[in-house]
Amino acid sequence: MAFRHATRIINNPGIKTMPTVIRQDDLIESVADALQYISYYHPVDFIQAVNEAYEREANPAAKDAMAQILINSRMCAQGHRPICQDTGIVTAFLQVGMEVSWQGDMSVEEMVNEGVRRAYMDPDNTLRASILEDPDGARRNTGDNTPCVIHYEIVPGDRIEVHLAAKGGGSEAKTKFAMLNPSDSVVDWVLKMVPTMGAGWCPPGMLGIGIGGTAEKAMILAKEALLDPIDIHELMEKGAENRAEELRLELYDKINRLGIGAQGLGGLTTVLDVKVKDFPTHAANKAVAIIPNCAATRHVHFTLDGTGPARIDPPSLEDWPEVTREVGDNVRRVNLDTVTRDEIRSWKPGDTLLLNGKMLTGRDAAHKKMIDMIAAGEELPVDLNGRFIYYVGPVDPVGDEVVGPAGPTTATRMDKFTRIMLEETGLMGMIGKAERGPAAIEAIRDNGAVYLMAVGGAAYLVAQAIKSSRVLGFPELGMEAIYEFEVSDMPVTVAVDVNGDAVHQSGPEIWRVKIENGDFSLS
């Protein structure tokens, strides 16, 4: 990043220097520009870490998933379109110098939120508004992704340091917290929690761990830890110098030995780095929080020093590896317009499919409305018999796009609707992100249906496979309406077959044993 330095006006030794003046428009513009920037540019250290994991991955399914993430990232950097359809909830960390003064009539909170508003409503790269007010009531979309979450710290100095992150809901949903006893092992607790997080946080990614303070302090520490660069290999070379660094090294090794792998398919890399921050705590307590970052890792830092808005230099495309997908012999093309139940019986967990033809879409809100209509004996707006439904809430298109980035959402949120949908509508298959829970797997087996997994973190790549789009039901739901997409060679993996066999159960177990037996090196 390149920034200009503030000019200090010095009169004489007996008179204090003038304070740095920050114009409200400079903060607003800087926030808006930074959020647009991170919507399509991964941090370079993240790309390098994923590429390293990709190069040494031994599981073909996990390797292909990382290839899609890398290809998607390069496409987004070139096209300036969102890495993921879930463009996140914004968190801002501000360190405000005590010598700073403000020029404007808005509060700092209002300035930051105005920057968020402008970023998410930018017509050249519209970002998805995902923030709902009245969260336990009407859950109304605010329409502009505000308000964001803001943390302030007043520090010595004459400038403002700003860290911004846009966090996807799927990874945030996997947050874990516990108030451990002082003698409890943090390592044991983390190793117990990580498998329960499933694949909805789109590994491989980072884990931020906060230890100490109070409950809310541990959470903030974990979130702050995710702002640090990926440097686990540098730490390995120099060695740990304190307990937090010891934990990082131990957890990085032991989590990767679980064999969870990219997208939960099994493999050598589950975490790219583990970050640990701690804080003094009460003698009776040991608060511990885990927050994961997903494949759409988005954060940036900038400084305001009174000389105008921040300017963030774009990375070079040379920082992105040239990756092509290596499609194996088990890949088959599927025509969704003619596929039969006899045909899907031949699909096995881990098979790669290229989908063609027409599919429906629908996620939480659409499923809830359909379930209510079925209970009331009302006719649904679409016929689902023999169809496939994609769990997605796409970004609005810009220019001549058919649809904006359209990656999958976490499938387990639809588990409670699955049996009724399969039994009452004749739905044949579902497409989403990550694993399904026991109830959904049982319903899939009982009804001879299938569940297919699309890669989380490859939303723009998936959107290129969508050739047409139209709304068929519930238009009032916006991005959660029921669409019909026509797709061409959309890549998916068979995650649960008609017999209820699930790759997210078998894959990690197979690779955990392989790693335990020394069949593959984690170094």
Side-chain angles (χ1 to χ4, degrees):
M1 303 178 189
F3 303 103
R4 293 170 289 176
H5 294 287
T7 300
R8 302 298 305 279
I9 302 173
I10 302 176
N11 297 319
N12 63 57
I15 300 176
K16 293 182 179 180
T17 59
M18 297 294 291
T20 298
V21 177
I22 304 296
R23 297 172 60 249
Q24 73 176 27
D25 285 348
D26 290 346
L27 178 57
I28 292 170
E29 182 180 335
S30 299
V31 168
D33 288 349
L35 290 172
Q36 277 285 310
Y37 178 98
I38 63 176
S39 76
Y40 44 75
Y41 287 136
H42 268 126
V44 173
D45 61 290
F46 177 83
I47 289 301
Q48 292 171 342
V50 174
N51 185 54
E52 179 188 345
Y54 164 79
E55 292 287 351
R56 64 187 179 86
E57 183 55 63
N59 179 3
K63 192 176 183 74
D64 180 64
M66 286 188 280
Q68 291 188 50
I69 290 169
L70 290 168
I71 294 168
N72 180 77
S73 181
R74 186 180 179 89
M75 290 172 61
C76 293
Q78 290 174 309
H80 286 191
R81 291 295 275 140
I83 295 164
C84 181
Q85 80 289 338
D86 183 349
T87 50
I89 181 170
V90 176
T91 301
F93 291 91
L94 277 71
Q95 290 185 320
V96 181
M98 295 170 67
E99 299 174 44
V100 165
S101 65
W102 296 91
Q103 183 184 90
D105 57 2
M106 301 169 70
S107 70
V108 175
E109 181 176 348
E110 289 171 335
M111 295 179 211
V112 174
N113 276 312
E114 178 59 26
V116 174
R117 183 175 296 110
R118 293 185 189 181
Y120 278 73
M121 300 183 74
D122 187 327
D124 293 329
N125 182 41
T126 305
L127 307 179
R128 197 183 81 184
S130 302
I131 304 307
L132 309 181
E133 60 187 359
D134 192 12
D136 194 40
R139 294 180 66 82
R140 292 180 296 270
N141 196 304
T142 63
D144 57 14
N145 223 56
T146 67
C148 69
V149 178
I150 305 173
H151 301 283
Y152 301 94
E153 185 179 1
I154 307 301
V155 300
D158 61 355
R159 58 186 56 204
I160 298 173
E161 304 289 342
V162 181
H163 282 89
L164 293 176
K167 189 73 157 50
S171 61
E172 191 75 355
K174 302 304 181 179
T175 296
K176 303 293 181 183
F177 173 81
M179 189 64 78
L180 300 182
N181 292 318
S183 61
D184 290 344
S185 166
V186 170
V187 171
D188 289 349
W189 180 75
V190 171
L191 293 176
K192 180 180 179 182
M193 289 299 103
V194 169
T196 70
M197 290 161 56
W201 61 284
C202 294
M206 292 169 61
L207 291 185
I209 298 177
I211 305 172
T214 52
E216 80 282 4
K217 181 63 175 179
M219 284 290 187
I220 293 172
L221 290 169
K223 186 63 68 72
E224 285 182 318
L226 293 173
L227 302 174
D228 290 343
I230 296 173
D231 62 356
I232 193 68
H233 294 301
E234 289 89 337
L235 179 58
M236 288 177 179
E237 290 180 6
K238 85 173 181 65
E241 297 178 356
N242 52 52
R243 179 56 182 158
E245 292 183 347
E246 290 173 356
L247 284 171
R248 285 183 62 194
L249 293 174
E250 184 176 0
L251 286 169
Y252 175 79
D253 178 66
K254 289 183 175 179
I255 291 170
N256 282 326
R257 289 185 179 279
L258 296 174
I260 295 168
Q263 301 289 304
L265 296 169
L268 301 181
T269 303
T270 302
V271 290
L272 303 171
D273 202 343
V274 178
K275 297 294 187 180
V276 178
K277 285 186 178 291
D278 58 25
F279 191 86
T281 192
H282 190 282
N285 300 144
K286 189 192 283 187
V288 186
I290 305 173
I291 302 180
N293 248 3
C294 63
T297 291
R298 294 169 293 216
H299 61 83
V300 71
H301 164 255
F302 63 83
T303 303
L304 292 177
D305 57 13
T307 61
R311 298 295 179 222
I312 306 173
D313 292 333
S316 168
L317 281 176
E318 294 179 358
D319 294 323
W320 271 259
E322 291 279 5
V323 174
T324 56
R325 295 184 62 220
E326 299 174 5
V327 180
D329 295 335
N330 64 339
V331 174
R332 67 180 84 184
R333 282 185 167 82
V334 174
N335 186 340
L336 295 175
D337 300 330
T338 60
V339 65
T340 66
R341 292 191 180 273
D342 282 341
E343 185 176 349
I344 69 173
R345 289 191 188 99
S346 66
W347 300 352
K348 300 301 180 187
D351 285 355
T352 299
L353 309 178
L354 298 175
L355 302 182
N356 295 270
K358 295 181 176 64
M359 67 172 63
L360 301 172
T361 78
R363 43 180 281 168
D364 310 65
H367 276 74
K368 178 65 166 59
K369 288 179 77 76
M370 286 190 285
I371 292 295
D372 290 345
M373 292 178 73
I374 290 170
E378 300 174 6
E379 185 177 351
L380 298 181
V382 293
D383 182 5
L384 276 71
N385 188 42
R387 304 294 299 273
F388 280 68
I389 194 165
Y390 182 28
Y391 302 148
V392 63
V395 176
D396 290 340
V398 298
D400 59 358
E401 289 180 342
V402 170
V403 66
T409 197
T410 306
T412 50
R413 297 204 312 274
M414 267 53 71
D415 281 4
K416 63 183 178 182
F417 307 122
T418 299
R419 182 170 290 278
I420 293 176
M421 292 294 293
L422 294 177
E423 293 181 351
E424 298 295 332
T425 71
L427 186 69
M428 188 186 300
M430 299 150 286
I431 307 157
K433 181 180 78 174
E435 74 283 351
R436 303 306 298 263
I441 292 174
E442 184 178 286
I444 290 167
R445 182 197 64 210
D446 292 348
N447 289 275
V450 291
Y451 167 62
L452 312 176
M453 187 210 79
V455 171
Y460 195 40
L461 176 63
V462 170
Q464 308 315 302
I466 301 170
K467 304 307 179 183
S468 68
S469 170
R470 60 177 180 142
V471 176
L472 295 186
F474 310 141
E476 69 278 9
L477 296 181
M479 63 96 175
E480 292 208 58
I482 297 176
Y483 292 78
E484 183 178 70
F485 289 166
E486 183 163 4
V487 298
S488 176
D489 283 353
M490 174 178 164
V492 296
T493 299
V494 179
V496 182
D497 69 8
V498 295
N499 300 310
D501 294 332
V503 72
H504 287 99
Q505 294 174 354
S506 59
E509 179 59 24
I510 290 170
W511 284 88
R512 182 187 63 79
V513 173
K514 284 178 178 288
I515 294 167
E516 280 185 358
N517 292 339
D519 292 349
F520 297 94
S521 171
L522 286 171
S523 61

